[in-house]
Amino acid sequence: KMKIGIVGYGKVGQFFVKKIRQQEAIELVFVWNRTKNVFDDADDWLKARVIDNLDDAFTKKVDLIVEVAHPCIVASHGPRFLAHADFMIGSPTALADAALEAELRGIASAGPHGVYIPSGAFWGAVDVEKMADLGTLVGLRVTMRKHPSSLKLVGVLGERLAAVAAVPGQHILFEGPVRELCPLAPNNVNTMAAASLAAHTLGFDRVVGVLACDLSLNEHIVEIDVTGAGSPPFTVSTIKRNPAQVGAVTGDATYGAFWTSLLRCGTRGPGLHSC
């Protein structure tokens, strides 16, 4: 059996635990959450697997640690998680910190464990990664459009959202390097972070992110524009419409995408991999 630890018990973490309980080939070894009251109504089976302190994770024998909590957890515990087991990062905006990305890539390259970045809402992640591997990727632009209530923004971007949140129509909140956007929208642009990691020859500085809000939306729209080598250049453009309840951070279809990503973890050895 694959032995798994889950870090974070929000909506995605709860979805994972429910799915794991239905699997014969996967065993949940531990689950952690910053606030413990989320486990108040849990059954004895789950309560027996709750750890109070994240450091307790390192006393557990697991094959894979899955983070679905917050980018700050990746920053504070990610390198140790990776030294202990394969590591799936559900909050890849954390890797907009260049030093943290370099540290995790270094540990992963040395092995024996690997880092896995779920594609989530990023359609075509493996294909983009292949182009980067071949040196044929020239440009990547990711545009995300959401209802204002689905956005949890900080700093100047939060102020910009507040100014237009009640105004009908589409409003461009940010356009520029994904590295600059991630700290301002850590919960909302994991798709862009996953894109920046797959497009490793461009990275967070050269992948362009566009974040927009629109009151009329009841879905998360992700537009991906890829430019390859050649004259005229190779291009691919996709538009993904992911139904989402108003105010939801994660679109409905993304849960299933995350689950299939988890099932692919642990199969590719050392290194950083899209899955």
mmCIF file of all heavy atoms in Angstrom, residues 141-144 153 156-157 160 171-182 184 189 192 207-213:
data_model
loop_
_atom_site.group_PDB
_atom_site.id
_atom_site.type_symbol
_atom_site.label_atom_id
_atom_site.label_comp_id
_atom_site.label_asym_id
_atom_site.label_seq_id
_atom_site.Cartn_x
_atom_site.Cartn_y
_atom_site.Cartn_z
ATOM 1 N N ARG A 141 1.633 32.487 -21.516
ATOM 2 C CA ARG A 141 0.781 33.501 -20.889
ATOM 3 C C ARG A 141 -0.445 32.788 -20.317
ATOM 4 O O ARG A 141 -1.096 32.005 -21.011
ATOM 5 C CB ARG A 141 0.354 34.540 -21.943
ATOM 6 C CG ARG A 141 -0.545 35.669 -21.437
ATOM 7 C CD ARG A 141 -0.948 36.532 -22.631
ATOM 8 N NE ARG A 141 -1.781 37.658 -22.245
ATOM 9 C CZ ARG A 141 -1.319 38.863 -21.959
ATOM 10 N NH1 ARG A 141 -0.004 39.089 -22.031
ATOM 11 N NH2 ARG A 141 -2.125 39.836 -21.609
ATOM 12 N N VAL A 142 -0.737 33.037 -19.045
ATOM 13 C CA VAL A 142 -1.883 32.405 -18.373
ATOM 14 C C VAL A 142 -2.807 33.507 -17.860
ATOM 15 O O VAL A 142 -2.391 34.363 -17.067
ATOM 16 C CB VAL A 142 -1.431 31.516 -17.203
ATOM 17 C CG1 VAL A 142 -2.646 30.851 -16.561
ATOM 18 C CG2 VAL A 142 -0.430 30.468 -17.666
ATOM 19 N N THR A 143 -4.050 33.482 -18.315
ATOM 20 C CA THR A 143 -5.047 34.465 -17.898
ATOM 21 C C THR A 143 -6.119 33.759 -17.080
ATOM 22 O O THR A 143 -6.668 32.742 -17.522
ATOM 23 C CB THR A 143 -5.697 35.150 -19.119
ATOM 24 O OG1 THR A 143 -4.675 35.767 -19.909
ATOM 25 C CG2 THR A 143 -6.711 36.200 -18.687
ATOM 26 N N MET A 144 -6.412 34.286 -15.895
ATOM 27 C CA MET A 144 -7.442 33.711 -15.038
ATOM 28 C C MET A 144 -8.506 34.771 -14.753
ATOM 29 O O MET A 144 -8.183 35.898 -14.361
ATOM 30 C CB MET A 144 -6.832 33.210 -13.722
ATOM 31 C CG MET A 144 -5.770 32.144 -13.916
ATOM 32 S SD MET A 144 -5.085 31.496 -12.356
ATOM 33 C CE MET A 144 -6.490 30.554 -11.761
ATOM 34 N N LEU A 153 -7.014 38.398 -2.087
ATOM 35 C CA LEU A 153 -5.827 39.137 -2.477
ATOM 36 C C LEU A 153 -5.308 39.985 -1.322
ATOM 37 O O LEU A 153 -6.064 40.373 -0.431
ATOM 38 C CB LEU A 153 -6.146 40.034 -3.677
ATOM 39 C CG LEU A 153 -6.860 39.343 -4.852
ATOM 40 C CD1 LEU A 153 -7.128 40.327 -5.969
ATOM 41 C CD2 LEU A 153 -6.051 38.158 -5.362
ATOM 42 N N VAL A 156 -1.473 45.763 -2.364
ATOM 43 C CA VAL A 156 -2.032 46.691 -3.345
ATOM 44 C C VAL A 156 -3.071 46.023 -4.228
ATOM 45 O O VAL A 156 -4.039 46.658 -4.661
ATOM 46 C CB VAL A 156 -0.901 47.296 -4.218
ATOM 47 C CG1 VAL A 156 -0.200 46.204 -5.042
ATOM 48 C CG2 VAL A 156 -1.428 48.382 -5.124
ATOM 49 N N LEU A 157 -2.932 44.708 -4.448
ATOM 50 C CA LEU A 157 -3.899 43.997 -5.275
ATOM 51 C C LEU A 157 -5.242 43.871 -4.551
ATOM 52 O O LEU A 157 -6.299 43.934 -5.175
ATOM 53 C CB LEU A 157 -3.360 42.611 -5.639
ATOM 54 C CG LEU A 157 -3.744 42.077 -7.023
ATOM 55 C CD1 LEU A 157 -3.329 43.058 -8.109
ATOM 56 C CD2 LEU A 157 -3.114 40.714 -7.272
ATOM 57 N N ARG A 160 -6.900 47.124 -4.987
ATOM 58 C CA ARG A 160 -7.393 47.268 -6.358
ATOM 59 C C ARG A 160 -8.698 46.495 -6.536
ATOM 60 O O ARG A 160 -9.639 46.968 -7.178
ATOM 61 C CB ARG A 160 -6.321 46.745 -7.320
ATOM 62 C CG ARG A 160 -6.438 47.240 -8.757
ATOM 63 C CD ARG A 160 -5.197 46.847 -9.545
ATOM 64 N NE ARG A 160 -3.999 47.483 -9.016
ATOM 65 C CZ ARG A 160 -2.766 47.119 -9.318
ATOM 66 N NH1 ARG A 160 -2.567 46.075 -10.122
ATOM 67 N NH2 ARG A 160 -1.736 47.760 -8.815
ATOM 68 N N HIS A 171 -12.538 43.454 -15.026
ATOM 69 C CA HIS A 171 -11.498 44.364 -14.552
ATOM 70 C C HIS A 171 -10.174 43.616 -14.466
ATOM 71 O O HIS A 171 -10.079 42.596 -13.777
ATOM 72 C CB HIS A 171 -11.867 44.942 -13.188
ATOM 73 C CG HIS A 171 -13.205 45.625 -13.166
ATOM 74 N ND1 HIS A 171 -13.396 46.901 -13.626
ATOM 75 C CD2 HIS A 171 -14.431 45.179 -12.772
ATOM 76 C CE1 HIS A 171 -14.677 47.231 -13.503
ATOM 77 N NE2 HIS A 171 -15.327 46.198 -12.984
ATOM 78 N N ILE A 172 -9.176 44.103 -15.163
ATOM 79 C CA ILE A 172 -7.839 43.522 -15.102
ATOM 80 C C ILE A 172 -7.162 44.026 -13.834
ATOM 81 O O ILE A 172 -6.950 45.234 -13.669
ATOM 82 C CB ILE A 172 -6.991 43.902 -16.337
ATOM 83 C CG1 ILE A 172 -7.692 43.470 -17.627
ATOM 84 C CG2 ILE A 172 -5.599 43.268 -16.233
ATOM 85 C CD1 ILE A 172 -7.851 41.979 -17.784
ATOM 86 N N LEU A 173 -6.842 43.114 -12.936
ATOM 87 C CA LEU A 173 -6.234 43.464 -11.663
ATOM 88 C C LEU A 173 -4.715 43.420 -11.718
ATOM 89 O O LEU A 173 -4.033 44.166 -10.993
ATOM 90 C CB LEU A 173 -6.727 42.509 -10.564
ATOM 91 C CG LEU A 173 -8.242 42.460 -10.360
ATOM 92 C CD1 LEU A 173 -8.608 41.324 -9.417
ATOM 93 C CD2 LEU A 173 -8.755 43.789 -9.819
ATOM 94 N N PHE A 174 -4.195 42.538 -12.571
ATOM 95 C CA PHE A 174 -2.734 42.385 -12.657
ATOM 96 C C PHE A 174 -2.370 41.815 -14.020
ATOM 97 O O PHE A 174 -3.070 40.959 -14.547
ATOM 98 C CB PHE A 174 -2.221 41.442 -11.564
ATOM 99 C CG PHE A 174 -0.726 41.233 -11.589
ATOM 100 C CD1 PHE A 174 0.119 42.033 -10.828
ATOM 101 C CD2 PHE A 174 -0.164 40.237 -12.386
ATOM 102 C CE1 PHE A 174 1.497 41.844 -10.864
ATOM 103 C CE2 PHE A 174 1.210 40.036 -12.423
ATOM 104 C CZ PHE A 174 2.042 40.852 -11.662
ATOM 105 N N GLU A 175 -1.255 42.292 -14.560
ATOM 106 C CA GLU A 175 -0.665 41.705 -15.758
ATOM 107 C C GLU A 175 0.842 41.887 -15.661
ATOM 108 O O GLU A 175 1.338 43.015 -15.563
ATOM 109 C CB GLU A 175 -1.197 42.364 -17.026
ATOM 110 C CG GLU A 175 -0.601 41.775 -18.296
ATOM 111 C CD GLU A 175 -1.234 42.316 -19.572
ATOM 112 O OE1 GLU A 175 -2.238 43.056 -19.471
ATOM 113 O OE2 GLU A 175 -0.725 41.992 -20.663
ATOM 114 N N GLY A 176 1.558 40.758 -15.628
ATOM 115 C CA GLY A 176 3.003 40.848 -15.486
ATOM 116 C C GLY A 176 3.593 39.510 -15.085
ATOM 117 O O GLY A 176 2.932 38.464 -15.172
ATOM 118 N N PRO A 177 4.847 39.520 -14.625
ATOM 119 C CA PRO A 177 5.503 38.255 -14.237
ATOM 120 C C PRO A 177 4.772 37.554 -13.098
ATOM 121 O O PRO A 177 4.336 38.194 -12.133
ATOM 122 C CB PRO A 177 6.901 38.714 -13.799
ATOM 123 C CG PRO A 177 7.101 40.044 -14.441
ATOM 124 C CD PRO A 177 5.741 40.680 -14.492
ATOM 125 N N VAL A 178 4.654 36.241 -13.203
ATOM 126 C CA VAL A 178 3.958 35.462 -12.180
ATOM 127 C C VAL A 178 4.652 35.584 -10.831
ATOM 128 O O VAL A 178 3.992 35.561 -9.781
ATOM 129 C CB VAL A 178 3.845 33.989 -12.618
ATOM 130 C CG1 VAL A 178 3.305 33.112 -11.494
ATOM 131 C CG2 VAL A 178 2.945 33.865 -13.842
ATOM 132 N N ARG A 179 5.965 35.765 -10.825
ATOM 133 C CA ARG A 179 6.678 35.895 -9.545
ATOM 134 C C ARG A 179 6.151 37.069 -8.725
ATOM 135 O O ARG A 179 6.051 36.984 -7.502
ATOM 136 C CB ARG A 179 8.184 36.058 -9.767
ATOM 137 C CG ARG A 179 8.953 35.922 -8.449
ATOM 138 C CD ARG A 179 10.454 36.075 -8.609
ATOM 139 N NE ARG A 179 11.070 35.193 -9.565
ATOM 140 C CZ ARG A 179 11.381 33.925 -9.331
ATOM 141 N NH1 ARG A 179 11.088 33.374 -8.160
ATOM 142 N NH2 ARG A 179 11.968 33.195 -10.254
ATOM 143 N N GLU A 180 5.801 38.175 -9.383
ATOM 144 C CA GLU A 180 5.291 39.352 -8.675
ATOM 145 C C GLU A 180 3.872 39.136 -8.176
ATOM 146 O O GLU A 180 3.462 39.709 -7.156
ATOM 147 C CB GLU A 180 5.338 40.569 -9.599
ATOM 148 C CG GLU A 180 6.740 40.995 -10.017
ATOM 149 C CD GLU A 180 6.721 42.168 -10.978
ATOM 150 O OE1 GLU A 180 5.653 42.826 -11.103
ATOM 151 O OE2 GLU A 180 7.759 42.422 -11.610
ATOM 152 N N LEU A 181 3.108 38.312 -8.889
ATOM 153 C CA LEU A 181 1.701 38.099 -8.547
ATOM 154 C C LEU A 181 1.505 37.127 -7.383
ATOM 155 O O LEU A 181 0.617 37.320 -6.543
ATOM 156 C CB LEU A 181 0.953 37.599 -9.791
ATOM 157 C CG LEU A 181 -0.525 37.239 -9.627
ATOM 158 C CD1 LEU A 181 -1.317 38.419 -9.072
ATOM 159 C CD2 LEU A 181 -1.100 36.791 -10.965
ATOM 160 N N CYS A 182 2.319 36.087 -7.319
ATOM 161 C CA CYS A 182 2.092 35.022 -6.327
ATOM 162 C C CYS A 182 1.986 35.520 -4.883
ATOM 163 O O CYS A 182 1.077 35.091 -4.154
ATOM 164 C CB CYS A 182 3.183 33.958 -6.437
ATOM 165 S SG CYS A 182 2.983 32.883 -7.878
ATOM 166 N N LEU A 184 0.900 38.248 -3.811
ATOM 167 C CA LEU A 184 -0.289 39.084 -3.669
ATOM 168 C C LEU A 184 -1.586 38.286 -3.791
ATOM 169 O O LEU A 184 -2.648 38.757 -3.392
ATOM 170 C CB LEU A 184 -0.271 40.189 -4.732
ATOM 171 C CG LEU A 184 0.935 41.135 -4.710
ATOM 172 C CD1 LEU A 184 0.895 42.088 -5.899
ATOM 173 C CD2 LEU A 184 0.978 41.918 -3.396
ATOM 174 N N VAL A 189 -3.648 31.775 -7.461
ATOM 175 C CA VAL A 189 -2.918 31.639 -8.729
ATOM 176 C C VAL A 189 -1.964 30.448 -8.715
ATOM 177 O O VAL A 189 -0.900 30.470 -9.330
ATOM 178 C CB VAL A 189 -2.180 32.950 -9.108
ATOM 179 C CG1 VAL A 189 -3.187 34.066 -9.349
ATOM 180 C CG2 VAL A 189 -1.171 33.358 -8.049
ATOM 181 N N MET A 192 -1.083 29.379 -12.141
ATOM 182 C CA MET A 192 0.020 30.115 -12.772
ATOM 183 C C MET A 192 1.373 29.645 -12.242
ATOM 184 O O MET A 192 2.348 29.566 -12.997
ATOM 185 C CB MET A 192 -0.150 31.608 -12.534
ATOM 186 C CG MET A 192 -1.370 32.219 -13.177
ATOM 187 S SD MET A 192 -1.401 34.010 -12.920
ATOM 188 C CE MET A 192 -3.024 34.420 -13.560
ATOM 189 N N VAL A 207 7.118 33.782 -17.364
ATOM 190 C CA VAL A 207 5.729 33.410 -17.616
ATOM 191 C C VAL A 207 4.861 34.601 -17.217
ATOM 192 O O VAL A 207 5.010 35.152 -16.124
ATOM 193 C CB VAL A 207 5.312 32.152 -16.829
ATOM 194 C CG1 VAL A 207 3.810 31.890 -16.985
ATOM 195 C CG2 VAL A 207 6.110 30.945 -17.308
ATOM 196 N N VAL A 208 3.976 35.005 -18.105
ATOM 197 C CA VAL A 208 3.125 36.180 -17.873
ATOM 198 C C VAL A 208 1.787 35.741 -17.289
ATOM 199 O O VAL A 208 1.131 34.844 -17.824
ATOM 200 C CB VAL A 208 2.893 36.964 -19.184
ATOM 201 C CG1 VAL A 208 1.928 38.123 -18.949
ATOM 202 C CG2 VAL A 208 4.217 37.473 -19.734
ATOM 203 N N GLY A 209 1.402 36.371 -16.190
ATOM 204 C CA GLY A 209 0.119 36.094 -15.567
ATOM 205 C C GLY A 209 -0.813 37.285 -15.684
ATOM 206 O O GLY A 209 -0.383 38.430 -15.506
ATOM 207 N N VAL A 210 -2.068 37.025 -16.006
ATOM 208 C CA VAL A 210 -3.101 38.065 -16.051
ATOM 209 C C VAL A 210 -4.236 37.618 -15.143
ATOM 210 O O VAL A 210 -4.774 36.514 -15.310
ATOM 211 C CB VAL A 210 -3.630 38.284 -17.486
ATOM 212 C CG1 VAL A 210 -4.695 39.386 -17.502
ATOM 213 C CG2 VAL A 210 -2.494 38.608 -18.447
ATOM 214 N N LEU A 211 -4.587 38.440 -14.162
ATOM 215 C CA LEU A 211 -5.673 38.124 -13.230
ATOM 216 C C LEU A 211 -6.772 39.159 -13.383
ATOM 217 O O LEU A 211 -6.516 40.370 -13.300
ATOM 218 C CB LEU A 211 -5.152 38.117 -11.789
ATOM 219 C CG LEU A 211 -6.161 37.681 -10.717
ATOM 220 C CD1 LEU A 211 -6.593 36.236 -10.925
ATOM 221 C CD2 LEU A 211 -5.561 37.853 -9.319
ATOM 222 N N ALA A 212 -7.997 38.670 -13.619
ATOM 223 C CA ALA A 212 -9.129 39.565 -13.826
ATOM 224 C C ALA A 212 -10.320 39.108 -13.008
ATOM 225 O O ALA A 212 -10.447 37.925 -12.659
ATOM 226 C CB ALA A 212 -9.509 39.609 -15.305
ATOM 227 N N CYS A 213 -11.206 40.052 -12.682
ATOM 228 C CA CYS A 213 -12.453 39.706 -11.985
ATOM 229 C C CYS A 213 -13.636 40.183 -12.805
ATOM 230 O O CYS A 213 -13.536 41.132 -13.591
ATOM 231 C CB CYS A 213 -12.482 40.305 -10.582
ATOM 232 S SG CYS A 213 -12.574 42.111 -10.514
#
